[in-house]
Amino acid sequence: MRMSIKLTTQAYCKMLLHAAKYPHCAVNGLLVAEKQKEKKKDSHSTPILCVDCIPLFHGTLALAPMLEVALTLIDTWCKENKYVIAGYYQANERTKDFRPNQVSEKVGARIAENFSEAAMIMVDSTRFTMGCYEPILAIYDHHENKWKCRDCNVDSFDDWCEAQKITSALLEGRSYESLIDFDNHLDDLRNDWTNPEINKSVLHLC
Amino acid sequence: MFDYCRACRLMVTCGDTTRCSKGSAETNHTQFNDVKPVLPRAMASVSEMYDVTWEEMRDKLRKWREDNHRNSEQIVDVGEELINEHASKLGDDIWIIYEQVMIAALDCSRDDLAWTCLQELKRQFPGSQRVKRLAGMRLEALEKYEDASKQYDSILQDDPTNTAARKRKISILKAQGKSAEAIRELNEYLEQFVGDQEAWHELSELYINEHDYGKAAFCLEELMMTNPHNHLYCEQYAEVKYTQGGLENLELSRKYFAQALKLNNRNMRALFGLYMSASHIAACPKVNATVKKANVKYAAWATNQINRAYQLAGRGTKENKCSVKAVEEMLESMQITMS
């Protein structure tokens, strides 16, 4: 039985802020989890908690070099912070298109090489509202070289009520205008893709 | 208690003394205690919040127009206020502002505002093709693709060379997910209008999304030929070649990343790309010792430049130090795989 995945408020809201910042583009990014000390024998017990989200690119997602740079750089950063890259998210350019595609499967598979329980998350933009009344994700697991969709509901969150409230507040306040993704970082190195200001805002609202 | 900073829009708690990224570097977040209490955002005007004059707002809109910025929410905020409060002062500029604001309004699902702008333009320019196209775009925004298509067809009946209408029809195909058809139509369009840069770029993007990197490269070659000084086209071409893979394409990509850097030595993507391509070539078992040595040198040079760029950027901010360190480590770890 696969370990379930849980998202913290910070991870969920940065994902949605990224999609909100570029409504006319495809966006993608990574999810990171805290590195587990030892492999637990009872794999049912602790779900994987994705504590943070690193927004990567917007626009054209299907080119390799910058993706490689980002994966390597973020992997290094993860090691420093005792994190591991645990998942990948993507929101497609067209609202009605929320199926995984070649890019998401490739990147997802790459992450799964290093982290067997990796999740691939597709954002369903058709249900994207300012109120965030329901989770709008589809979570996919890697099973025998195929991606299988699993149910995403409030159980996929560390604290759905908090996630809903805070994400909605940040969307209303247009916090996405100051969200930095890796593309923004490449445009100006001073832009910090860890988004410390937004992390602080999330903390303040908790 | 919390509110949002007027400048950067982040939610901050009362008494927060962290620096604001949007205001000047020395200011803290502008909190509601600092300004007189303002009701929900919708009530405060742009000019009040940002302390700008109507001329500055008009100039900002012009800059966004010239740069073809798609910051639709900001355009709507600034443009709507300009239109509502300062229409008389704008003179003839108002018509192009109506057009700009209308398109931005469509992007933000503000059909009310879009409709108003459209009506003003229809009244001022009856029978204009340009306004007809805007009406078509509104239909597209409402997902009434057949009606929009008919609108564009009627423009093309009167004027078969109307490029805007043809391109909108292709955009409809793209919006409907009909990539193959969009590509076909765009190719046909480009046979007639060979000099349309925007179209070549759009086609390259469509090909990239279909993972047809060879054809995407061809489009970018066209763009590089007609814009030899544009570092962005060079760099994108290099990325496509890199993605295509294989030793020959990697070498080509390295050359074009280098070319992009020559054209603009601050293009970080080109710098990283040069590093990645040179590293991969050096690590490739098929290359001979000379080629390997040369590429190791290129990669080392790039490493140096990347580190310098990060040092420069990281100066003064403690947060960025983690990036600098991460980059240094990443570059170090990749050196190991190259040798």
Side-chain angles (χ1 to χ4, degrees):
Chain A
M1 169 98 172
R2 304 215 109 219
M3 277 196 254
S4 57
I5 196 174
K6 272 193 190 283
L7 296 168
T8 60
T9 298
Q10 183 166 298
Y12 185 65
C13 90
K14 278 156 80 173
M15 244 195 288
L16 263 63
L17 288 176
H18 193 204
K21 186 180 182 187
Y22 299 107
H24 56 287
C25 295
V27 299
N28 66 2
L30 300 174
L31 291 162
V32 300
E34 281 170 354
K35 204 177 172 90
Q36 302 285 37
K37 293 232 162 70
E38 359 33 71
K39 194 136 197 203
K40 302 238 162 87
K41 287 260 164 117
D42 175 14
S43 60
H44 293 282
S45 56
T46 29
I48 299 160
L49 185 64
C50 287
V51 296
D52 204 358
C53 143
I54 316 280
L56 288 180
F57 304 108
H58 56 271
T60 313
L61 306 182
L63 291 174
M66 298 307 123
L67 178 60
E68 269 188 55
V69 172
L71 285 173
T72 318
L73 192 54
I74 290 164
D75 199 48
T76 311
W77 175 83
C78 278
K79 292 197 170 74
E80 282 279 301
N81 293 278
K82 308 263 190 325
Y83 284 149
V84 65
I85 298 179
Y88 168 82
Y89 73 86
Q90 184 173 304
N92 291 329
E93 185 178 14
R94 287 175 48 240
T95 316
K96 304 208 171 119
D97 180 11
F98 44 82
R99 288 157 312 158
N101 59 14
Q102 204 177 319
V103 176
S104 64
E105 295 192 355
K106 268 206 167 126
V107 184
R110 170 88 170 257
I111 293 171
E113 279 172 25
N114 287 342
F115 187 76
S116 54
E117 311 288 335
M120 188 236 288
I121 294 181
M122 299 298 296
V123 180
D124 181 359
S125 302
T126 57
R127 296 183 292 151
F128 202 152
T129 60
M130 293 296 268
C132 301
Y133 301 117
E134 49 166 356
I136 59 170
L137 311 176
I139 303 181
Y140 292 79
D141 299 314
H142 207 204
H143 254 310
E144 293 153 12
N145 271 319
K146 286 209 188 87
W147 290 96
K148 279 213 163 98
C149 188
R150 91 158 76 200
D151 227 7
C152 171
N153 48 39
V154 300
D155 289 330
S156 312
F157 294 84
D158 194 35
D159 183 343
W160 168 248
C161 284
E162 177 191 83
Q164 182 268 320
K165 194 182 74 181
I166 294 180
T167 307
S168 180
L170 291 180
L171 284 170
E172 291 280 346
R174 292 212 202 160
S175 290
Y176 46 81
E177 286 175 2
S178 55
L179 180 95
I180 300 296
D181 66 9
F182 202 75
D183 258 332
N184 301 138
H185 175 72
L186 290 172
D187 289 335
D188 183 340
L189 292 185
R190 293 167 298 181
N191 288 329
D192 190 344
W193 44 262
T194 62
N195 288 287
E197 296 294 339
I198 295 194
N199 292 344
K200 256 183 238 155
S201 301
V202 172
L203 229 61
H204 274 140
L205 291 174
C206 279
Chain B
M1 274 281 261
F2 52 82
D3 197 344
Y4 41 81
C5 167
R6 301 291 174 242
C8 71
R9 306 278 186 175
L10 279 177
M11 297 292 271
V12 293
T13 45
C14 180
D16 186 298
T17 53
T18 53
R19 291 280 184 259
C20 174
S21 60
K22 281 291 177 74
S24 82
E26 307 306 12
T27 56
N28 296 339
H29 291 287
T30 312
Q31 299 177 56
F32 61 94
N33 282 328
D34 304 342
V35 300
K36 78 173 179 336
V38 177
L39 293 169
R41 226 199 100 253
M43 309 278 264
S45 73
V46 170
S47 50
E48 274 171 32
M49 283 203 287
Y50 298 94
D51 191 23
V52 288
T53 60
W54 72 266
E55 291 102 332
E56 287 170 305
M57 287 163 72
R58 176 202 58 194
D59 293 342
K60 251 300 140 111
L61 277 182
R62 185 188 316 131
K63 180 167 193 303
W64 290 334
R65 234 177 9 247
E66 286 166 7
D67 294 343
N68 215 354
H69 250 34
R70 198 169 172 173
N71 52 335
S72 301
E73 283 191 309
Q74 287 182 305
I75 293 174
V76 162
D77 275 351
V78 174
E80 188 172 23
E81 190 170 308
L82 215 51
I83 290 170
N84 289 338
E85 318 270 320
H86 307 282
S88 49
K89 306 187 196 94
L90 292 168
D92 275 336
D93 270 352
I94 197 165
W95 308 115
I96 201 156
I97 289 175
Y98 272 131
E99 182 183 43
Q100 183 182 11
V101 173
M102 187 202 158
I103 294 175
L106 291 179
D107 240 1
C108 300
S109 294
R110 284 287 311 273
D111 194 43
D112 58 318
L113 179 58
W115 180 251
T116 311
C117 294
L118 186 59
Q119 296 312 103
E120 292 296 319
L121 287 165
K122 272 187 179 162
R123 204 172 318 160
Q124 181 71 9
F125 305 102
S128 147
Q129 307 284 40
R130 189 159 160 176
V131 177
K132 260 185 160 176
R133 167 193 164 240
L134 290 174
M137 284 178 79
R138 180 178 165 271
L139 292 168
E140 284 187 66
L142 298 169
E143 292 185 87
K144 296 185 174 162
Y145 296 124
E146 275 198 38
D147 292 339
S149 217
K150 285 202 191 104
Q151 181 83 343
Y152 300 134
D153 283 336
S154 94
I155 298 177
L156 287 167
Q157 247 178 8
D158 291 338
D159 176 14
T161 65
N162 191 305
T163 56
R166 274 185 80 165
K167 289 198 276 193
R168 284 322 311 165
K169 288 192 73 175
I170 294 170
S171 302
I172 291 176
L173 292 171
K174 194 175 166 191
Q176 295 173 310
K178 300 179 180 169
S179 323
E181 282 184 55
I183 288 175
R184 195 172 45 239
E185 295 286 326
L186 195 41
N187 268 301
E188 272 184 42
Y189 170 86
L190 280 165
E191 277 172 29
Q192 244 190 292
F193 300 98
V194 146
D196 191 332
Q197 320 272 332
E198 178 187 66
W200 279 112
H201 201 254
E202 181 66 42
L203 186 56
S204 79
E205 274 182 29
L206 286 173
Y207 277 131
I208 291 171
N209 288 334
E210 296 303 303
H211 307 283
D212 195 339
Y213 300 109
K215 299 217 181 82
F218 178 81
C219 297
L220 287 163
E221 281 162 12
E222 284 287 331
L223 285 166
M224 287 195 295
M225 262 204 299
T226 46
N227 302 272
H229 299 293
N230 186 318
H231 65 106
L232 296 170
Y233 292 150
C234 242
E235 186 265 309
Q236 261 202 309
Y237 179 75
E239 286 200 54
V240 170
K241 282 291 158 196
Y242 183 108
T243 311
Q244 266 184 295
L247 190 54
E248 248 184 73
N249 285 325
L250 267 179
E251 296 198 296
L252 255 175
S253 97
R254 192 207 64 229
K255 291 188 179 137
Y256 279 92
F257 279 129
Q259 178 65 8
L261 269 175
K262 245 203 285 190
L263 294 169
N264 181 339
N265 62 6
R266 290 186 302 170
N267 186 326
M268 273 318 287
R269 288 183 181 80
L271 192 48
F272 269 121
L274 174 61
Y275 172 77
M276 298 295 285
S277 50
S279 304
H280 280 302
I281 295 168
C284 185
K286 287 196 279 181
V287 300
N288 64 43
T290 335
V291 172
K292 176 167 170 149
K293 195 163 169 213
N295 280 282
V296 168
K297 246 175 59 186
Y298 299 141
W301 179 85
T303 305
N304 226 314
Q305 297 298 107
I306 293 172
N307 274 322
R308 270 179 68 195
Y310 270 93
Q311 301 289 356
L312 241 127
R315 265 206 307 237
T317 56
K318 114 168 104 72
E319 284 98 16
N320 256 320
K321 295 232 159 53
C322 86
S323 272
V324 178
K325 190 150 191 273
V327 170
E328 277 177 8
E329 290 200 23
M330 167 189 105
L331 295 172
E332 257 180 58
S333 71
M334 288 198 75
Q335 301 268 30
I336 300 167
T337 59
M338 275 198 321
S339 49

